[in-house]
Amino acid sequence: MTSPAAAQPLPQTLRPTLESANQQHQTAQQQWIARQWRERMDTPLVRFIDDAAHRQTLLTRIYQEARLAGLPPDLVLALIQVESAFKADAISSAGAVGLMQIMPFWVSELGLPIDDLTYPPRNLRYGCTILAHYLAIENGDFTRALARYNGSLGETWYPERVMHAWRNTWRQPTLR
């Protein structure tokens, strides 16, 4: 079986149809807010990803997955910066994989054996789901949820790093 990462690229003629179908569930205002967010986040992301098309694709997916999980998308960017510096193939010394550094045991908990954690859409789905779960357990306490995510509950060094990246690089005023 071929992994999603090894799949053939979409024909350019199919891309507008898929993008349209993906946005049909969003109001015009929601689409505008998402587009404005992607434009604001593009500039700081240049530091990590040179290719403009890759940045926009990743930002779109991050925004979608974060919103689906009820997370601030710019918090997810901060977490990715700290975890992997936006390297989809990153593997930690503990064995965590991908953009959001997912531990492989989560595949048996949340997914299918064929799930490829280096595939950004799959990794983002897992990471956002896990972080949303920890936020729910911790009643919205970002510090405790981030510490759980990192496996360092009771310590603050990791949440402080993510919150610093969020505050100083990614968090921007919300558009209304």
Side-chain angles (χ1 to χ4, degrees):
M1 181 170 261
T2 306
S3 76
Q8 295 295 319
L10 289 175
Q12 286 300 322
T13 55
L14 182 57
R15 191 168 304 282
T17 304
L18 289 176
E19 288 173 1
S20 173
N22 186 39
Q23 292 183 351
Q24 284 178 358
H25 67 283
Q26 293 182 336
T27 67
Q29 182 181 17
Q30 289 168 326
Q31 290 177 35
W32 182 82
I33 290 169
R35 189 171 35 256
Q36 294 299 311
W37 180 85
R38 282 192 311 269
E39 288 175 11
R40 285 192 323 272
M41 296 301 120
D42 188 71
T43 300
L45 191 55
V46 167
R47 172 173 142 204
F48 300 97
I49 300 172
D50 292 330
D51 182 77
H54 178 64
R55 281 194 313 274
Q56 286 303 301
T57 299
L58 184 60
L59 286 169
T60 297
R61 181 60 73 158
I62 289 169
Y63 188 86
Q64 291 169 339
E65 293 298 335
R67 302 301 284 178
L68 182 66
L71 299 171
D74 35 343
L75 172 64
V76 174
L77 284 167
L79 187 142
I80 294 169
Q81 176 185 339
V82 169
E83 287 288 350
S84 68
F86 295 90
K87 292 177 178 41
D89 59 351
I91 299 175
S92 76
S93 59
V97 178
L99 291 170
M100 294 185 76
Q101 291 292 277
I102 308 303
M103 290 299 289
F105 75 82
W106 282 107
V107 173
S108 62
E109 293 291 322
L110 298 175
L112 301 170
I114 60 168
D115 283 347
D116 178 359
L117 294 176
T118 64
Y119 180 56
R122 182 60 47 203
N123 190 279
L124 292 167
R125 174 67 53 94
Y126 274 83
C128 288
T129 300
I130 294 163
L131 183 56
H133 170 69
Y134 289 146
L135 265 172
I137 288 173
E138 296 298 343
N139 298 311
D141 183 323
F142 284 112
T143 299
R144 290 185 57 83
L146 287 166
R148 276 188 187 273
Y149 187 92
N150 177 255
S152 59
L153 187 60
E155 298 182 35
T156 60
W157 64 270
Y158 176 80
E160 287 171 0
R161 284 185 64 200
V162 174
M163 299 302 271
H164 180 266
W166 188 19
R167 184 176 48 254
N168 294 327
T169 303
W170 306 105
R171 193 170 193 177
Q172 306 212 353
T174 304
L175 294 176
R176 300 241 177 225

